[in-house]
Amino acid sequence: MDDKHHIPREHGQLGEIQARKHLEQQGLTFVEQNVRYKFGEIDLVMRQGKTLIFVEVKYRSKSQFGGALHALSTKQIQRLRRAAEHYMQIKHLDVICRFDLIGIEPDRIYWLKNAF
Protein backbone atom coordinates (compact mmCIF):
# COMPACT_ATOMS: atom_id res chain seq x y z
CA MET A 1 0.00 0.00 0.00
CA ASP A 2 1.83 3.09 -1.14
CA ASP A 3 -0.98 5.45 -0.25
CA LYS A 4 0.54 8.69 1.04
CA HIS A 5 -2.04 8.71 3.86
CA HIS A 6 -0.90 5.31 5.13
CA ILE A 7 0.20 5.58 8.74
CA PRO A 8 3.20 3.54 9.87
CA ARG A 9 2.17 0.55 11.99
CA GLU A 10 3.90 1.86 15.13
CA HIS A 11 1.83 5.07 14.96
CA GLY A 12 -1.32 2.97 14.68
CA GLN A 13 -0.35 0.88 17.70
CA LEU A 14 0.51 4.00 19.67
CA GLY A 15 -2.86 5.43 18.72
CA GLU A 16 -4.59 2.25 19.92
CA ILE A 17 -2.80 2.47 23.27
CA GLN A 18 -3.84 6.13 23.63
CA ALA A 19 -7.40 5.26 22.63
CA ARG A 20 -7.56 2.38 25.11
CA LYS A 21 -6.30 4.58 27.96
CA HIS A 22 -8.75 7.32 27.03
CA LEU A 23 -11.70 4.90 26.98
CA GLU A 24 -10.64 3.26 30.25
CA GLN A 25 -10.56 6.72 31.85
CA GLN A 26 -14.14 7.15 30.65
CA GLY A 27 -15.14 3.96 32.51
CA LEU A 28 -14.98 1.38 29.70
CA THR A 29 -13.38 -2.02 30.26
CA PHE A 30 -10.74 -3.38 27.91
CA VAL A 31 -11.59 -6.74 26.32
CA GLU A 32 -9.24 -7.29 23.38
CA GLN A 33 -6.98 -5.48 20.92
CA ASN A 34 -5.99 -6.10 17.27
CA VAL A 35 -8.46 -8.85 16.46
CA ARG A 36 -7.64 -9.92 12.91
CA TYR A 37 -9.51 -12.03 10.39
CA LYS A 38 -8.72 -12.42 6.71
CA PHE A 39 -11.69 -10.19 5.82
CA GLY A 40 -11.26 -7.46 8.41
CA GLU A 41 -9.87 -6.40 11.74
CA ILE A 42 -11.00 -4.75 14.94
CA ASP A 43 -8.62 -2.29 16.62
CA LEU A 44 -10.17 -2.45 20.09
CA VAL A 45 -12.96 -4.37 21.76
CA MET A 46 -14.22 -2.64 24.90
CA ARG A 47 -17.16 -3.18 27.21
CA GLN A 48 -19.42 -0.63 28.86
CA GLY A 49 -21.87 -2.32 31.20
CA LYS A 50 -23.46 -5.06 29.09
CA THR A 51 -22.64 -3.36 25.78
CA LEU A 52 -19.77 -4.61 23.65
CA ILE A 53 -18.04 -1.80 21.78
CA PHE A 54 -16.02 -2.32 18.62
CA VAL A 55 -13.66 0.61 18.27
CA GLU A 56 -11.94 1.79 15.11
CA VAL A 57 -8.92 3.95 15.86
CA LYS A 58 -7.77 6.51 13.30
CA TYR A 59 -4.48 8.29 13.85
CA ARG A 60 -3.46 11.42 12.00
CA SER A 61 -0.06 13.04 12.49
CA LYS A 62 -1.47 16.40 11.40
CA SER A 63 -4.92 17.92 11.70
CA GLN A 64 -5.55 17.62 7.98
CA PHE A 65 -8.75 18.91 6.45
CA GLY A 66 -11.44 16.60 7.74
CA GLY A 67 -9.03 15.06 10.20
CA ALA A 68 -9.09 11.57 11.58
CA LEU A 69 -12.85 11.25 11.88
CA HIS A 70 -13.39 11.44 8.13
CA ALA A 71 -10.76 8.84 7.31
CA LEU A 72 -13.16 5.88 7.31
CA SER A 73 -14.41 4.52 4.00
CA THR A 74 -17.62 2.58 3.41
CA LYS A 75 -15.51 -0.49 2.61
CA GLN A 76 -13.66 -0.20 5.93
CA ILE A 77 -16.98 0.08 7.78
CA GLN A 78 -18.28 -3.05 6.00
CA ARG A 79 -15.09 -4.97 6.88
CA LEU A 80 -15.31 -3.89 10.51
CA ARG A 81 -18.97 -4.91 10.73
CA ARG A 82 -18.17 -8.33 9.24
CA ALA A 83 -15.28 -8.82 11.65
CA ALA A 84 -17.52 -7.83 14.59
CA GLU A 85 -20.25 -10.27 13.52
CA HIS A 86 -17.68 -13.05 13.19
CA TYR A 87 -16.16 -12.17 16.58
CA MET A 88 -19.56 -12.40 18.26
CA GLN A 89 -20.36 -15.70 16.52
CA ILE A 90 -17.14 -17.48 17.45
CA LYS A 91 -17.31 -16.17 21.05
CA HIS A 92 -21.03 -17.14 21.25
CA LEU A 93 -21.97 -13.65 22.37
CA ASP A 94 -25.51 -12.42 22.21
CA VAL A 95 -25.12 -8.90 23.53
CA ILE A 96 -25.89 -5.36 22.46
CA CYS A 97 -22.99 -3.94 20.51
CA ARG A 98 -22.08 -0.62 18.99
CA PHE A 99 -19.36 0.80 16.79
CA ASP A 100 -17.31 3.75 18.01
CA LEU A 101 -14.62 5.72 16.30
CA ILE A 102 -11.65 7.25 18.07
CA GLY A 103 -9.85 9.94 16.10
CA ILE A 104 -6.40 10.79 17.38
CA GLU A 105 -4.66 13.95 16.27
CA PRO A 106 -1.54 15.47 17.84
CA ASP A 107 -3.46 17.86 20.06
CA ARG A 108 -6.71 16.02 20.76
CA ILE A 109 -8.69 12.81 20.91
CA TYR A 110 -12.19 12.61 19.49
CA TRP A 111 -14.58 9.88 20.59
CA LEU A 112 -17.56 9.35 18.34
CA LYS A 113 -20.06 6.90 19.85
CA ASN A 114 -22.32 4.97 17.49
CA ALA A 115 -20.20 6.24 14.62
CA PHE A 116 -21.78 3.89 12.06
Side-chain angles (χ1 to χ4, degrees), residues 72-82 99 115-116:
L72 205 56
S73 71
T74 307
K75 247 189 183 122
Q76 285 174 304
I77 290 169
Q78 287 169 344
R79 283 199 301 264
L80 180 60
R81 284 185 175 278
R82 256 182 89 193
F99 296 88
F116 44 89

Side-chain angles (χ1 to χ4, degrees), residues 64-105:
Q64 297 152 326
F65 176 73
L69 293 182
H70 298 286
L72 205 56
S73 71
T74 307
K75 247 189 183 122
Q76 285 174 304
I77 290 169
Q78 287 169 344
R79 283 199 301 264
L80 180 60
R81 284 185 175 278
R82 256 182 89 193
E85 282 169 22
H86 188 68
Y87 179 89
M88 289 177 65
Q89 276 178 347
I90 62 173
K91 302 259 185 202
H92 304 290
L93 297 171
D94 185 19
V95 294
I96 295 165
C97 72
R98 77 170 195 241
F99 296 88
D100 288 5
L101 178 61
I102 290 276
I104 296 181
E105 293 176 0

